[in-house]
């Protein structure tokens, strides 16, 4: 969708801001450009909508060489969001959002209708905020209006230059999450500039890590974090990249352990036997549809003379996650519930129990996922030396 071919930009004073850059962004893909200040991110972005012309090389949009497209026509195909937002202070939120439809000569009513729809989409109730002026909004709300305005003419491409850079970290995270949800709906081709590696990792389908005017690595967040291509990238992503990688690595079925399983209506005697035969200290308890109910500790079944069913002794299990949730969330859930394991369920089948994730298996999953990415094979096929299970003492 967007293709850079050997693009170089030298400014009049001799500064080479971008040096022989080649990359491609697929349709519907969100690519983050990340790097320190002054490395050429904004220059890259502004060449796409011809606010800056390259010195050498070509840029193609949907196969068309953009140097042959009239800049005004070109910009209609490209939404542009910047940190300073640039809302017109004397226009209302609704009017600001309808700017582009207005410029495109849409009928006033249609433009306002579209603007209201978009304000809704970015989480601003048009009946509350539509008639306000930009100064009557918080920083986060202004950024949302900026995003709504960029989407107004439904351009296939969005350029976003540090759009959430000016708001505090809490609001920024909220805007990022909202934007991800929005992007899942609108599926634009997005180039997103940031100097914040956390943001780049959270948002990007792929990330381009910039050195001085050049891309040092262009890959998925998990690969950049797990296998930095150069010492520069390793340094840039930080010493805690293993921890960061937890947030972009999903739980897979091959990561799970299979503990003994009993059902609510099983007799205690059956449960006792199953625990004993597997030498386990607890079993997972499922309901009649094989959905997670909870767990039962071995001591509840230890009395061989005990009568009744598992149901009376089962404990509810709050520490569970759907398959595909990030490992970081698994770790957080373990800590939150002070749990030595969490249950993993299948969201698709309304909660069927799939297995459990333990801290040792979580660590293993992370190590295997790094190897899997490095060798481009499924994680399930990677063997690592397993961490010996620590036998309970006493
Ligand atoms: N108009 C300009 N004239 C000369 N140098 C510029 C101009 N704009 C940017 N630069 C320089 O080009 C380099 C890249 O700038 P920029 O693309 O804005 O970086 P970033 O967005 O990554 O912070 C910097 O060294 C900057 O000082
Ligand atoms: Mg910049």
């Amino acid at each position: 969708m967007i293709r850079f071919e050997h693009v170089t930009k030298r400014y009049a004073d001799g500064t080479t801001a971008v040096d022989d850059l080649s990359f491609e962004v697929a349709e519907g893909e969100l690519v983050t450009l990340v790097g320190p200040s002054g490395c050429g991110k904004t220059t890259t972005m502004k060449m796409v909508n011809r606010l800056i012309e390259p010195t050498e090389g070509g840029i193609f949009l949907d196969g068309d060489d953009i140097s042959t497209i009239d800049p005004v026509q070109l910009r209609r195909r490209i939404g542009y969001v910047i940190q300073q937002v640039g809302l017109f202070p004397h226009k209302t939120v609704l009017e600001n959002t309808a700017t582009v439809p207005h410029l495109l000569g849409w009928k006033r009513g249609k433009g306002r209708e579209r603007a209201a729809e978009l304000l809704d989409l970015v989480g601003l109730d048009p009946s509350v905020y539509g008639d306000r002026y930009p100064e009557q909004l918080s920083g986060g709300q202004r950024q949302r209006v900026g995003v709504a305005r960029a989407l107004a003419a439904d351009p296939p491409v969005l350029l976003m230059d540090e759009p959430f850079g000016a708001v505090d970290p809490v609001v920024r995270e909220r805007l990022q999450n909202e934007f991800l949800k929005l992007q899942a709906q609108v599926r634009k081709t997005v180039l997103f500039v940031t100097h914040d590696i956390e943001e780049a990792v959270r948002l990007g389908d792929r990330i381009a890590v910039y050195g001085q005017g050049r891309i040092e690595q262009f890959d998925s967040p998990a690969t950049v974090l797990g296998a930095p291509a150069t010492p520069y990238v390793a340094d840039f992503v930080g010493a805690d990249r293993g921890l960061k990688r937890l947030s972009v690595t999903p739980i897979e079925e091959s990561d799970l352990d299979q503990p003994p399983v009993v059902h609510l209506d099983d007799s205690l005697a059956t449960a006792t036997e199953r625990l004993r035969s597997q030498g386990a200290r607890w079993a997972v308890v499922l309901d009649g549809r094989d959905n997670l109910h909870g767990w039962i500790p071995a001591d509840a079944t230890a009395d061989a003379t005990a009568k009744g069913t598992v149901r009376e002794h089962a404990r509810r299990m709050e520490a569970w996650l759907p398959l595909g949730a990030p490992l970081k969330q698994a770790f957080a859930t373990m800590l939150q519930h002070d749990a030595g394991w969490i249950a993993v369920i299948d969201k698709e089948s309304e909660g069927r129990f799939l297995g459990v994730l333990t801290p040792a298996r979580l660590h293993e999953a992370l190590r295997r996922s790094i190897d899997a990415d490095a060798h481009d094979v499924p994680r399930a096929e990677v063997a690592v030396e397993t961490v010996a299970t620590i036998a309970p003492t006493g």
Side-chain angles (χ1 to χ4, degrees), residues 58-318:
I59 301 169
F60 300 83
L61 187 67
D62 224 359
D64 301 333
D65 181 345
I66 64 165
S67 69
T68 66
I69 306 174
D70 171 60
V72 175
Q73 295 290 338
L74 177 70
R75 285 171 207 150
R76 287 182 184 165
R77 292 159 68 178
I78 301 174
Y80 189 40
V81 190
I82 54 173
Q83 188 183 110
Q84 300 76 10
V85 195
L87 299 178
F88 300 112
H90 56 282
K91 285 188 175 180
T92 65
V93 165
L94 200 70
E95 287 162 353
N96 264 291
T97 310
T99 304
V100 179
H102 182 73
L103 287 175
L104 293 179
W106 292 21
K107 287 226 177 68
R108 192 177 148 84
K110 190 180 160 215
R112 292 177 73 90
E113 203 176 294
R114 171 73 180 155
E117 196 181 296
L118 281 159
L119 288 173
D120 226 9
L121 198 64
V122 297
L124 293 174
D125 181 347
S127 69
V128 176
Y129 297 98
D131 293 332
R132 287 200 191 172
Y133 288 88
E135 62 169 20
Q136 298 169 306
L137 301 179
S138 71
Q141 290 166 340
R142 277 200 286 268
Q143 290 297 343
R144 290 188 183 93
V145 177
V147 173
R149 184 178 59 179
L151 288 170
D154 205 16
V157 172
L158 267 188
L159 304 179
M160 306 180 78
D161 195 348
E162 313 226 15
F164 310 142
V167 294
D168 68 71
V170 176
V171 175
R172 187 181 317 161
E173 190 167 338
R174 199 180 309 144
L175 288 170
Q176 288 166 351
N177 290 334
E178 285 170 8
F179 181 65
L180 278 179
K181 268 193 218 146
L182 183 67
Q183 168 64 358
Q185 285 181 52
V186 298
R187 276 281 151 213
K188 300 295 177 189
T189 303
V190 186
L191 262 187
F192 189 111
V193 162
T194 176
H195 62 266
D196 174 8
I197 182 70
E198 308 270 355
E199 181 164 78
V201 163
R202 181 170 302 145
L203 298 182
D205 296 316
R206 287 190 298 164
I207 64 187
V209 183
Y210 270 59
Q212 230 18 268
R214 287 177 160 273
I215 292 177
E216 297 268 333
Q217 188 169 12
F218 190 23
D219 218 318
S220 69
T223 301
V224 170
L225 292 173
T230 63
Y232 170 87
V233 176
D235 192 44
F236 185 73
V237 298
D240 61 343
R241 60 192 168 85
L243 217 47
K244 291 192 182 99
R245 198 182 147 99
L246 280 177
S247 63
V248 293
T249 307
I251 304 171
E252 289 185 358
E253 215 160 345
S254 64
D255 301 328
L256 306 180
D257 272 339
Q258 297 302 330
V261 164
V262 296
H263 285 84
L264 279 173
D265 293 327
D266 286 344
S267 69
L268 270 188
T270 307
T272 308
E273 183 43 38
R274 192 152 308 150
L275 278 160
R276 193 173 294 155
S277 69
Q278 298 192 34
R281 287 175 297 152
W282 47 270
V284 168
V285 177
L286 305 183
D287 67 16
R289 295 158 61 206
D290 283 344
N291 288 352
L292 178 70
H293 174 88
W295 63 291
I296 186 166
D299 54 17
T301 70
D303 180 1
T305 63
K307 297 266 182 296
T309 64
V310 167
R311 187 183 296 276
E312 291 98 73
H313 297 275
R315 306 186 185 172
R316 291 308 294 234
M317 181 69 190
E318 306 297 339

